[in-house]
């Protein structure tokens, strides 16, 4: 349905001929960097249970990705990763995986909050209805996001709260032994995990922006980064499975990145490519 679709496709092909191969090679190299950072995180997460090599950790990450394809919000990723641990540590490692996901979620929320503030200030969300002051609902939305962000950070650095919850709820007490690993992480460990998550976030954001540029989308990089952070925030909050995620991610990307360019074909091509 895009107007001038044929000319857009021609433009995409012309741009790819000029810098496509360089972009594709760079994106592929960053893919190994992306999963390498996640492998390093996994290696650090399971260290209180057992020492595993980086290569074994990398294999566990790829297995997790494979098993997560047909599961809601990639929950099957946990099952793939624990295959590479000894039997006595498999269930305990699930709690470690959740801590790693928690650190990535915090980074996604922080960047998403910054992007949402930019989006609200530059692209009105809701028309004034006369009953509330201008930007009332936008301020409510930002307030809710800030509250969620602060709450997740508090829980992340006070993981003993989670153990306390397991102790107080009768039917969870038996599972307490499987979550006690989270008490072994020091503040320094948690900060290190957050740093790795932030670097990884910038890596896969850069992959998407490089592909958008390779397909001929014209945009200012920092605006693309901010709106892309809103896309990742939406994707983190909406439950979906990996296969269906492609359609949803495409729709959300068109909505937000479409604010910078009318070249829908390039947005869809980059979204499919990065997926």
């Amino acid at each position: 349905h895009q107007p001038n679709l044929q000319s857009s496709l021609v433009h995409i092909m012309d741009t790819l001929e000029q810098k496509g191969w360089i972009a594709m090679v760079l994106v592929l190299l960053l893919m190994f960097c992306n999963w390498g950072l996640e492998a390093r995180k996994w290696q650090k997460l399971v260290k209180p249970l057992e020492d595993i090599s980086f290569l074994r950790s990398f294999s566990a990450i790829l297995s997790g990705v494979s098993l997560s394809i047909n599961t809601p919000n990639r929950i099957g990723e946990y099952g793939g990763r624990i295959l590479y641990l000894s039997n006595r540590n498999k269930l305990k490692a699930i709690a470690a995986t959740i801590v790693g996901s928690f650190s990535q979620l915090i980074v996604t929320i922080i960047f998403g909050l910054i992007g949402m503030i930019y989006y609200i200030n530059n692209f009105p969300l809701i028309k004034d209805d006369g009953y509330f002051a201008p930007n009332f609902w936008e301020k409510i939305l930002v307030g809710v996001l800030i509250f969620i962000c602060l709450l997740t950070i508090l829980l992340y650095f006070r993981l003993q709260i989670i153990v306390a919850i397991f102790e107080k709820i009768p039917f969870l007490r038996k599972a307490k032994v499987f979550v006690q690993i989270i008490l072994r992480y020091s503040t320094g460990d948690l900060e290190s995990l957050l740093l790795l998550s932030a670097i990884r976030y910038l890596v896969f954001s850069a992959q998407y922006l490089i592909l958008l540029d390779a397909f001929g989308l014209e945009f200012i990089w920092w605006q693309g980064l901010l709106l892309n952070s809103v896309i990742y925030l939406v994707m983190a909050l909406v439950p979906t499975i990996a296969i269906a995620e492609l359609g949803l991610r495409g729709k959300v990307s068109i909505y937000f990145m479409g604010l910078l360019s009318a070249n829908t074909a390039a947005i869809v091509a980059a979204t499919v490519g990065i997926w």
Side-chain angles (χ1 to χ4, degrees):
H1 297 288
Q2 179 186 330
N4 305 315
L5 178 60
Q6 193 62 39
S7 61
S8 293
L9 294 176
V10 170
H11 178 61
I12 288 174
M13 296 307 297
D14 289 342
T15 310
L16 281 174
E17 285 181 8
Q18 294 174 18
K19 51 188 175 183
W21 287 110
I22 296 174
M24 293 300 175
V25 169
L26 183 56
V27 167
L28 283 172
L29 290 175
L30 286 173
M31 182 181 70
F32 287 103
C33 181
N34 176 14
W35 293 121
L37 287 165
E38 186 63 19
R40 177 60 181 147
K41 275 174 58 181
W42 177 242
Q43 191 181 24
K44 289 176 70 68
L45 283 164
V46 299
K47 191 173 182 181
L49 294 173
E50 61 181 276
D51 278 322
I52 60 173
S53 66
F54 178 79
L55 183 59
R56 190 171 181 83
S57 178
F58 200 93
S59 301
I61 295 302
L62 296 184
S63 296
V65 172
S66 299
L67 285 180
S68 69
I69 288 292
N70 290 315
T71 56
N73 279 31
R74 300 179 180 271
I75 198 170
E77 197 169 314
Y78 303 156
R81 293 186 182 192
I82 64 176
L83 290 174
Y84 287 80
L85 300 175
S86 59
N87 288 334
R88 70 178 186 278
N89 293 325
K90 278 183 167 61
L91 291 177
K92 295 177 183 178
I94 293 176
T97 310
I98 293 172
V99 173
S101 299
F102 211 178
S103 69
Q104 198 67 55
L105 178 63
I106 288 173
V107 172
T108 300
I109 292 175
I110 291 174
F111 276 94
L113 180 59
I114 297 170
M116 185 62 74
I117 291 172
Y118 168 77
Y119 172 60
I120 288 172
N121 286 330
N122 291 273
F123 308 98
L125 276 176
I126 305 167
K127 293 181 180 179
D128 296 334
D129 55 15
Y131 294 102
F132 298 99
N135 299 323
F136 173 81
W137 291 111
E138 286 87 341
K139 291 174 182 176
I140 291 292
L141 177 61
V142 171
V144 169
L145 286 172
I146 291 174
F147 174 76
I148 293 173
C149 184
L150 293 175
L151 182 63
T152 52
I153 292 172
L154 173 66
L155 283 174
Y156 181 72
F157 285 104
R158 294 290 184 272
L159 291 172
Q160 59 266 32
I161 295 174
I162 298 174
V163 178
I165 292 172
F166 272 74
E167 288 177 342
K168 291 182 179 179
I169 300 176
F171 69 90
L172 290 178
R173 281 176 189 158
K174 290 183 180 179
K176 176 188 168 186
V177 65
F178 299 119
V179 298
Q180 283 183 323
I181 180 182
I182 64 180
L183 297 178
R184 302 185 192 179
Y185 300 124
S186 66
T187 301
D189 292 332
L190 296 174
E191 289 173 350
S192 176
L193 288 170
L194 268 181
L195 178 61
L196 287 171
S197 296
I199 296 171
R200 181 175 174 240
Y201 185 95
L202 293 174
V203 167
F204 59 66
S205 295
Q207 285 180 289
Y208 186 51
L209 296 180
I210 289 168
L211 275 186
L212 286 171
D213 180 66
F215 286 122
L217 200 77
E218 296 179 2
F219 61 97
I220 301 173
W221 71 267
W222 61 267
Q223 289 180 329
L225 179 63
L226 289 172
L227 289 177
N228 187 39
S229 68
V230 182
I231 295 171
Y232 288 143
L233 178 64
V234 172
M235 294 303 302
L237 299 178
V238 176
T240 182
I241 63 174
I243 289 178
E245 181 184 294
L246 178 58
L248 179 61
R249 186 186 291 270
K251 193 75 173 176
V252 175
S253 298
I254 289 170
Y255 180 82
F256 288 105
M257 301 306 292
L259 298 170
L260 301 180
S261 173
N263 193 349
T264 306
I267 296 171
V268 172
T271 302
V272 172
I274 203 67
W275 186 85

